[in-house]
Amino acid sequence: MLELKIDHIAYALQSEAEIDRFVELFSVEKPTREPVNDQLVIVYHLDMPLFSIELLVPMEDNHGLQRFLLKHPSPCFHHLALSCKDLSCGQAFFESIGYQFLYPESRQGSNKKRINFLKPNSTNGVLIELCEQET
């Protein structure tokens, strides 16, 4: 049986100037800045007791996230991330029941985690990230 847990909730932000709003809201220290060049985003992690919150700021060439932000007011919910022990097994499970992934193989995401995304057209429009639990 596939065991999943909430890893993080991600919000898209128009600019890094909006980071302070979340820092104040959740009474946390300003998070570190992590560029994820493969995904063309700058990620900030807010560590919470049960999961983390990722703040995503598009890099200049990330036209997909920039288009998303044109349609949705910033900051806005972007995706939900679920973690599992073995990403290959998790992806195989979801594919066996009809879900499709954005990438044929997993990629490295933030925090050096292996990740892949379920296509939103197979999840009623919600972007869901599947990531491998840190060991």
Side-chain angles (χ1 to χ4, degrees):
M1 178 180 202
L2 182 64
E3 291 184 30
L4 299 171
K5 69 175 190 172
I6 295 175
D7 186 78
H8 65 269
I9 297 171
Y11 284 87
L13 284 70
Q14 190 68 44
S15 73
E16 293 177 272
E18 295 178 274
I19 302 289
D20 290 338
R21 194 170 161 189
F22 281 85
V23 168
E24 184 179 324
L25 177 66
F26 293 107
S27 300
V28 295
E29 292 187 29
K30 190 164 186 169
T32 57
R33 183 181 192 271
E34 180 188 2
V36 182
N37 295 324
D38 186 52
Q39 302 291 314
L40 296 173
V41 295
I42 300 166
V43 179
Y44 290 83
H45 299 276
L46 300 177
D47 293 323
M48 307 303 287
L50 299 176
F51 57 87
S52 67
I53 296 173
E54 280 189 359
L55 306 177
L56 310 173
V57 179
M59 290 182 178
E60 188 174 324
D61 293 336
N62 189 332
H63 303 297
L65 187 53
Q66 291 169 356
R67 279 192 305 273
F68 178 84
L69 285 164
L70 286 174
K71 295 178 186 176
H72 304 86
S74 177
C76 62
F77 173 75
H78 186 261
H79 70 267
L80 171 66
L82 304 173
S83 64
C84 60
K85 290 181 182 177
D86 183 326
L87 184 59
S88 298
C89 290
Q91 185 167 338
F93 170 78
F94 278 102
E95 288 173 337
S96 75
I97 58 174
Y99 289 91
Q100 299 173 333
F101 283 82
L102 290 179
Y103 313 120
E105 300 293 326
S106 64
R107 296 182 173 196
Q108 184 168 317
S110 67
N111 281 337
K112 299 179 182 170
K113 290 181 182 177
R114 289 179 48 226
I115 65 162
N116 205 340
F117 291 90
L118 285 98
K119 287 185 177 180
N121 63 357
S122 67
T123 61
N124 291 325
V126 177
L127 183 60
I128 298 175
E129 178 181 357
L130 191 61
C131 58
E132 195 163 73
Q133 290 175 359
E134 297 178 68
T135 55

